Each structure stands twice: as C-alpha cells, then as structure tokens.
Amino acid sequence: MFENSERTEISKLGEFGLIKHITQKIKLNHPETIKGVGDDAAVLNYKKHTLISTDMLVEGIHFDLTYTPLKHLGYKSVVVNVSDICAMNGIAKHITVSIGISNRFSLEAVEEFYSGVLLACEKYKIDLIGGDTSSTPGGMFISITVLGEIEPTQITYRNGANENDLICVTGDLGAAYMGLQILEREKSVYKSNPAIQPDLEGKDYILERQLKPEARTDMVQVLSKLKIVPTAMIDISDGLASELMHIAEQSGLGCVIYEDKLPIDPLTYETAREFKLDPTTCLLSGGEDYELLFTIQQKHFEAIKNIKEISIIGHITEANDTCHLISKGGQKHKITAQGWNSFANN
C-alpha cells in the first residue's frame, strides 16, 4: 500500500508532510461525504439520525507493541469503533483518526499502522475524513471518532430491555482473552531468554481474535433482514458479565443466563484449561470479543433459533432483581462484573 522500504525519520517530512503522505491513499465510498480530508473540517450530509462514538487507545494500557503488529493495531483501532455503532444497530460510515507518536517511530512504522486503518476502512466501507498527528515524549496513543447513521425507529439503546425478553449473543466468547494470555506468556519467556522462539502453534484462532477482531456488521444486517429491532444492545468489549449488568441496571431489571448455553470455542476452552483457568470465568470476564449482546421479544424466538451465529443464553427478569448464572449443575450464582476497568489495577 505504501512503498517505502527503509527507515525514514518523521522529522524529514514534518507534520504537514506526514499528513499529506499518509492521506494520499484515501478512497471515499459514500455520497454523504461532501468533503473529506484536506480542509479545516470535513463536510457530511446525513439524512438520517447520526451516531457518534470515540475511543482512545494508549500504549501500555490498551495495547503492547511487543507483540502487536502495527498493521493489526491500525485495523483493530477502527474495528473497536465500528463495533460501537453496531451496538446501536447502526451503520458506520465515517471516521477520523488522530495519533500521537514519539521519535522512535519511523515513517515506515506510521505507514504500517495506516495500512491497517485503510484495510479496515475498505472492508467496512468507511470513509476516513480527517484526524490529527502529534509528537509525544514517549509511547503511542490513538484516538478515533466514528460516525454512523440509522433510521430513528431502528435505534437500540442499552436501557430498553423488558421483563421476559430473551438474551442473545453473537459468535463465541472468551477467545480474545485467551489469545492475550498466550501473548503475555510468550512475552515473559522472551524477556527471560530472547533466543527462545515464541510457541504459538495451533493457536491461530484465539490469537486472531485478540490481535485482529471483527465488528459484527453482518449480524446487524441479519437482524435488519428479519425485521427484528433488539430492545437493548451493547457490544462485548469489557466482558459478558459487565455488559449484562449494564443492560440490566440501565433497564431497571435483572437477568438469568445459563452456563450450558454460553458459546465457547473448543480451542478457547482447551487453552483456558491449559492455563489452569475456569473457561466460564474467562468467557464472562475476558472482554475484547466485540460480539453483540442483545435482548429481543419472545415472539422473535422462531426467527432466530436456527441462526448459527446467534445463541440464546437466558432471559430478562423482574424489576430490581440481580443478574444470575445457572451453572451446569443447576446452582444459582450471582454475577459480578470483573471485566476491564481503565482506572483499576487490572
């Protein structure tokens, strides 16, 4: 995508030269884009309701460049924002990307990051319409704002669940967390002996779920074709337990989910056991799966019961109830949120 093969210092280009260089490959997809990159502000013409979300990713907190390729990081940075629009039942259309980098990053490193950004934009049909670059004393930070659109009658919030609604989740859970455990283990091995090669054999699926997740735009389309508007929805970034509690608390209700209904990939399960971890705990608290958790009215059961990528895991309970898990042995356990918290000692 970019043609440089040797290290080029950012200082040779300067800020405006860098911006010109990294934006030259941008392609626009949407008629709503009146003006993209190249002026003081982008100009858009949305005819429906506009959705806006922002995420910040900080090196050492949200990602580790010891084992995260910059191209994967660029791709993932876009995906986590697109996922927020999916969680509102909308379609992502535009993003701005701002980065802060130190002088340890070459032009080629920045190109690699943006090649991942543009790859994600191509896949999800998103226009990159602006952003900013800045120098930092050390490390890297990324800030992305995503804009999407939606018909007013299709918007789904977190607080719309109703008693007896079915609780559904897309895909499988816990894989991204176990991929992170593999990467952290191999980082520790490398620190103790740099001559040892990382042992990643057979772990491709869970590593990809951590390094290169996908936003579930396909599931938003499936629900649209079925004419199903979820009563509540959220994407699973901080762990299933945490997201369940968000929906229940904001809807003023409780919930029950069943352990034997929770979707987990066999490799995730086996890797959790390898690490002497409980697979269900990893699934509930791991995070970064970017699957969709949503509630629907019971009348839609027949329409979704045979959709491979959707699992019905429980139901919403009465007001002021709490969230519970029914174990495979029939025991009832209160669910507590143990997912990611940026200001806790994770």
Side-chain angles (χ1 to χ4, degrees), residues 175-176 178-179 182 203-210 267-268 271:
M178 291 318 306
I182 292 287
K203 305 295 187 182
D204 293 6
Y205 177 67
I206 58 177
L207 290 171
E208 184 169 347
R209 289 295 300 253
Q210 169 57 219
L267 181 59
T268 303
T271 306

Side-chain angles (χ1 to χ4, degrees), residues 102-299:
S102 67
N103 59 12
R104 71 182 171 94
F105 291 88
S106 65
L107 173 62
E108 291 71 33
V110 175
E111 288 177 342
E112 191 72 1
F113 172 81
Y114 273 94
S115 68
V117 169
L118 295 179
L119 183 62
C121 287
E122 180 181 351
K123 174 165 183 176
Y124 293 102
K125 299 294 184 283
I126 294 171
D127 289 353
L128 174 56
I129 57 170
D132 198 10
T133 60
S134 177
S135 62
T136 66
M140 178 181 190
F141 74 80
I142 306 156
S143 179
I144 294 185
T145 296
V146 61
L147 297 94
E149 70 172 10
I150 189 170
E151 293 285 357
T153 57
Q154 304 298 304
I155 297 175
T156 304
Y157 299 102
R158 298 178 181 183
N159 64 354
N162 301 299
E163 189 174 343
N164 298 319
D165 278 355
L166 302 176
I167 300 172
C168 306
V169 67
T170 65
D172 59 82
L173 305 176
Y177 177 71
M178 291 318 306
L180 179 62
Q181 301 315 299
I182 292 287
L183 293 167
E184 287 289 342
R185 181 188 69 186
E186 297 309 307
K187 176 184 174 181
S188 296
V189 171
Y190 175 80
K191 280 185 172 181
S192 62
N193 186 350
I196 297 178
Q197 293 297 308
D199 179 16
L200 306 176
E201 187 175 354
K203 305 295 187 182
D204 293 6
Y205 177 67
I206 58 177
L207 290 171
E208 184 169 347
R209 289 295 300 253
Q210 169 57 219
L211 296 173
K212 188 178 174 288
E214 301 291 353
R216 297 314 302 256
T217 54
D218 57 332
M219 290 292 99
V220 173
Q221 293 168 3
V222 166
L223 293 172
S224 177
K225 288 178 181 178
L226 293 172
K227 301 188 184 308
I228 296 174
V229 178
T231 51
M233 186 153 62
I234 191 171
D235 73 328
I236 302 176
S237 57
D238 299 328
L240 175 62
S242 177
E243 315 303 5
L244 272 170
M245 293 180 69
H246 282 312
I247 286 179
E249 290 175 0
Q250 292 192 30
S251 300
L253 299 165
C255 68
V256 170
I257 59 171
Y258 298 85
E259 185 179 18
D260 61 355
K261 301 294 185 183
L262 300 178
I264 185 167
D265 183 81
L267 181 59
T268 303
Y269 186 93
E270 294 165 7
T271 306
R273 289 301 189 194
E274 178 186 329
F275 277 80
K276 296 181 171 52
L277 298 172
D278 175 55
T280 299
T281 300
C282 296
L283 183 152
L284 287 170
S285 302
E288 288 203 293
D289 291 302
Y290 299 105
E291 297 290 348
L292 296 175
L293 172 69
F294 60 95
T295 57
I296 59 172
Q297 296 176 358
Q298 289 194 19
K299 67 180 182 180

Side-chain angles (χ1 to χ4, degrees), residues 327-345:
S327 71
K328 293 175 182 178
Q331 299 296 311
K332 189 175 184 180
H333 303 276
K334 184 177 179 180
I335 294 174
T336 57
Q338 299 178 32
W340 175 253
N341 180 343
S342 293
F343 295 99
N345 295 318

